[in-house]
């Protein structure tokens, strides 16, 4: 977990996951009761979990949203090979990329986002997803995951162009 909190930022990273591995990168992490929770860029071996719902796929907003574009095809390297991830959070806009493909492009202040949280396992966590800053955290679910070339760039004061 980072020492610093981040509000608007860009995080670029390379990762690989073991066979049937499950991990992720959480951001806007805050304490909820006795737990540290945050919105998560899911990282897993999707082929190892064929029965999970799509909102648990790699690069999703874990347990909240699968993807913004229903016709988008996920292109990721198989377990054991490196993928490139990117998260950009700026002016209420959350974007996730995987290997250059935009997977998530959502506004955290939209009714769609609020409804997705209300349908998630986080629905009983008061204020979850509404905080606009927090720490970054690498998750650990007991499987091996490798990261390299992690770069974070605060985006405070920068203007986000409308989509």
């Amino acid at each position: 977990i980072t020492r610093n909190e981040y509000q608007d930022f860009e995080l670029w990273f390379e990762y690989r996951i073991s066979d049937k591995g499950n991990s992720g990168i959480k951001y806007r992490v805050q304490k909820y009761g006795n737990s540290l929770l945050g919105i998560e860029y899911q990282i897993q071996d999707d082929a190892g979990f064929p029965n999970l719902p799509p909102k648990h796929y790699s690069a999703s907003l874990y347990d909240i949203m699968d993807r913004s574009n229903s016709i988008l095809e996920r292109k990721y390297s198989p377990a054991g090979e490196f993928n490139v991830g990117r998260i950009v959070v700026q002016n209420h806009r959350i974007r996730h990329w995987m290997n250059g493909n935009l997977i998530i492009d959502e506004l955290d202040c939209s009714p769609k986002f609020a409804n997705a949280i209300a349908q998630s396992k986080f629905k009983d966590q008061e204020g979850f997803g509404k905080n606009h800053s927090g720490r970054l955290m690498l998750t650990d679910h007991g499987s091996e995951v490798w990261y390299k070339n992690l770069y974070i760039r605060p985006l405070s004061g920068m203007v986000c162009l409308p989509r």
Side-chain angles (χ1 to χ4, degrees):
I1 190 162
T2 60
R3 290 185 190 129
N4 296 333
E5 288 197 8
Y6 295 89
Q7 184 171 355
D8 289 353
F9 65 90
E10 176 180 19
L11 178 67
W12 190 93
F13 53 97
E14 293 178 71
Y15 68 92
R16 75 176 186 193
I17 189 79
S18 60
D19 188 45
K20 296 187 180 176
N22 178 8
S23 192
I25 298 177
K26 292 184 181 182
Y27 51 96
R28 294 184 174 174
V29 172
Q30 298 284 336
K31 192 163 187 155
Y32 293 86
N34 293 326
S35 301
L36 289 172
L37 299 175
I39 296 171
E40 183 175 353
Y41 180 110
Q42 174 71 348
I43 295 173
Q44 73 171 8
D45 172 21
D46 290 346
F49 299 96
N51 298 322
L52 286 179
K55 63 184 182 178
H56 290 210
Y57 290 170
S58 292
S60 69
L61 268 167
Y62 173 74
D63 203 56
I64 299 170
M65 290 182 177
D66 168 30
R67 56 187 169 207
S68 294
N69 182 344
S70 62
I71 62 171
L72 180 70
E73 180 182 343
R74 286 185 196 284
K75 295 180 182 174
Y76 66 96
S77 301
E81 294 183 22
F82 276 94
N83 291 277
V84 176
R86 182 176 172 221
I87 302 167
V88 177
V89 178
Q90 188 174 31
N91 297 336
H92 296 283
R93 188 174 178 190
I94 296 172
R95 291 175 284 172
H96 289 184
W97 281 266
M98 182 172 57
N99 297 327
N101 296 305
L102 183 62
I103 307 295
I104 298 292
D105 190 356
E106 297 296 336
L107 295 173
D108 68 4
C109 55
S110 71
K112 179 181 176 184
F113 189 84
N115 185 55
I117 296 230
Q119 301 299 313
S120 76
K121 72 182 209 175
F122 306 107
K123 64 184 172 209
D124 296 327
Q125 299 297 329
E126 183 67 35
F128 183 84
K130 294 181 181 177
N131 56 304
H132 294 109
S133 68
R135 296 179 176 183
L136 304 175
M137 182 170 76
L138 303 179
T139 64
D140 177 15
H141 296 296
S143 52
E144 291 185 312
V145 61
W146 296 263
Y147 295 97
K148 66 179 184 177
N149 299 320
L150 281 87
Y151 300 98
I152 186 157
R153 179 174 63 120
L155 298 176
S156 299
M158 299 181 76
V159 176
C160 180
L161 299 175
R163 52 181 171 145

